[in-house]
Amino acid sequence: MKKIVIEGGKTLSGEINIGGAKNSAVALIPAAILCDEEVSLYNVPNISDRDALIDILHHLNCQTSLDKDALKIDLRQLKNKLIPENLGKKLRASYYFMGALLGKMKKVEMYFPGGCNIGSRPIDLHIKGFEMLGAKVKIVGNKYTIEAKELIGTRIYLDIASVGATINLMLAACKAKGTTIISNAAREPEITNVATFLNNMGAKISGVGTSEIKIEGVEKLHKAMIDVIPDRIEAGTYAIIGALLGKDLKLNNVIDEHIEALLSKLKDMGVDIKEEKNSIIINRAKSLEAINIKTLVYPGFPTDLGQPITTLLTQAKGVSLFEETIYENRFGHIKYLQKMGATINANVHSMQAIIIGPTKLIGADVVATDLRAGASLVIAGLIAEGTTTISEIEHILRGYDGLIEKLTGVGANIRIEEI
Ligand code: EPU
């Protein structure tokens, strides 16, 4: 068991290189299944979710080689097998093997996926979409058997613009007969990254980035490569840290358009941000103004930055209102921020929190209940007086590549210790 120990209060300056996007990489790796040859993925983040997906590829008899951030996957010996529950439940994104294997082999057997405990997170829209493409779905307990004689393109309307369902149905539809239209599709940049990869393999997908995606089925997908886009949530997390502790803190490899919703809020709070080509420079604000934030699907304010920004709001002058609209259980960090001295009045039923600031935070023993809760507590530890110890850090390591190295590199006092 490991914990993160932080001595707070250090000014941070220098440069941080933002890595490849977790939520792109975790879809691109299963998407490789659709190829009949070999694929190369570059800028793949070094996170435990990557390794969990590679374990599943090995189980399916795929060969892989990893050289720093370059992952090659050879699909020529692929064997379709039941994906055991212990492999699938390590992460949410194992569900992309449903769409990929169904598309390629017309059959998949696996279990309900794992992932952060931030809500009930059903996959009914994925299943409904597979059925509309012609698959039969048998669910026994947690186990899903999905198979089809053939998949036939159709029009699928998503009740919710779900990231996971949009990607999964795009994967399944790539090799279906005829044309599939996904309407009310999600528009997150990670979806565009996956569609670009599939098109590089020979798929015919258009309309990504809009709410109507068109997929014309093809017979074969060939050798291809792709660069994982920069992680907008990692960039956003460090931008928030810069707003609190930065002295010319420079974030490289940032697509500022992808974090426009955050940058606009930070500017409203009074943070000094200079945008350059592919990088931003942030200085700690002399004084932060309270604001209201509501999470929304892209291009709105991302749910994954809701928890990190709560910590920033504890340092703003006045009353801020934070409202989560995507997941029912995004408030795991609140009690620990309160323990550290924050004044937060949270209502889990209305998914709203009122934050009154600024309040001084004092180091404490806290728990990372999920990935982004962990990020919010890392930020809290960095600004707190004294020592903060965070346990259950496996959640954080699932999603932030080189967190400790990147932060110590700009002057933070943060380390991992064995418990
Ligand atoms: N939903 C349904 N039915 C479905 C699918 C989704 O009701 O079949 C609901 C969910 O319960 C949720 C909402 O729709 O309330 C949105 O879920 P979505 O499918 O968009 O999210 P996801 O695919 O499960 C991905 C990311 C999340 C990120 C969300 C939203 C991955 C592996 N996960 O989840 O990332 O918060 O999109 O952008 O890509 C994280 O990185 O910390 C994280 C949780």
Side-chain angles (χ1 to χ4, degrees), residues 22-23 95 121-125 162-164 304 326-327 372:
K22 168 180 96 75
N23 288 344
Y95 60 19
R121 308 185 81 181
I123 58 166
D124 54 310
L125 298 174
S162 152
V163 173
D304 295 336
I326 315 282
Y327 294 110
R372 308 300 172 189

Side-chain angles (χ1 to χ4, degrees), residues 22-23 71 128 171 192 203 242 276 287 316-317 336 377 388 390:
K22 168 180 96 75
N23 288 344
L71 174 64
K128 183 178 154 196
L171 297 175
T192 308
E276 295 183 344
S287 134
K317 194 164 133 239
Y336 296 109
L377 295 173
T388 296
I390 308 175

Side-chain angles (χ1 to χ4, degrees), residues 45-187:
N46 178 2
I47 50 175
S48 57
D49 273 9
R50 173 200 69 183
D51 301 333
L53 291 167
I54 291 176
D55 287 346
I56 297 177
L57 287 176
H58 290 164
H59 170 78
L60 297 172
N61 213 36
C62 304
Q63 319 297 313
T64 65
S65 73
L66 187 61
D67 179 13
K68 299 195 184 94
D69 66 1
L71 174 64
K72 289 195 189 323
I73 308 171
D74 183 343
L75 292 306
R76 284 171 296 189
Q77 310 292 324
L78 172 73
K79 283 204 181 99
N80 198 6
K81 288 190 261 177
L82 165 76
I83 301 174
E85 190 165 18
N86 65 322
L87 292 183
K89 82 170 182 208
K90 282 193 188 151
L91 76 170
R92 188 80 193 155
S94 61
Y95 60 19
Y96 291 132
F97 282 99
M98 286 184 175
L101 281 170
L102 179 66
K104 170 107 171 232
M105 316 294 281
K106 306 292 175 275
K107 179 170 181 182
V108 55
E109 274 188 294
M110 60 178 290
Y111 291 80
F112 193 80
C116 285
N117 179 18
I118 50 178
S120 61
R121 308 185 81 181
I123 58 166
D124 54 310
L125 298 174
H126 307 226
I127 299 304
K128 183 178 154 196
F130 295 145
E131 287 174 335
M132 290 178 79
L133 287 166
K136 295 255 174 299
V137 181
K138 193 168 129 202
I139 307 170
V140 179
N142 262 349
K143 188 177 163 204
Y144 287 69
T145 305
I146 309 171
E147 52 189 323
K149 283 204 181 65
E150 58 178 1
L151 296 172
I152 312 257
T154 187
R155 190 176 177 94
I156 304 170
Y157 169 79
L158 297 178
D159 294 345
I160 301 172
S162 152
V163 173
T166 301
I167 293 180
N168 236 340
L169 296 174
M170 214 163 67
L171 297 175
C174 269
K175 298 185 82 178
K177 284 200 175 132
T179 302
T180 301
I181 307 274
I182 306 174
S183 67
N184 196 28
R187 292 185 287 159

Side-chain angles (χ1 to χ4, degrees), residues 277-291:
K277 196 169 178 281
N278 296 330
S279 63
I280 54 174
I281 300 167
I282 305 193
N283 279 291
R284 108 199 271 158
K286 284 192 189 72
S287 134
L288 291 161
E289 296 301 320
I291 47 157

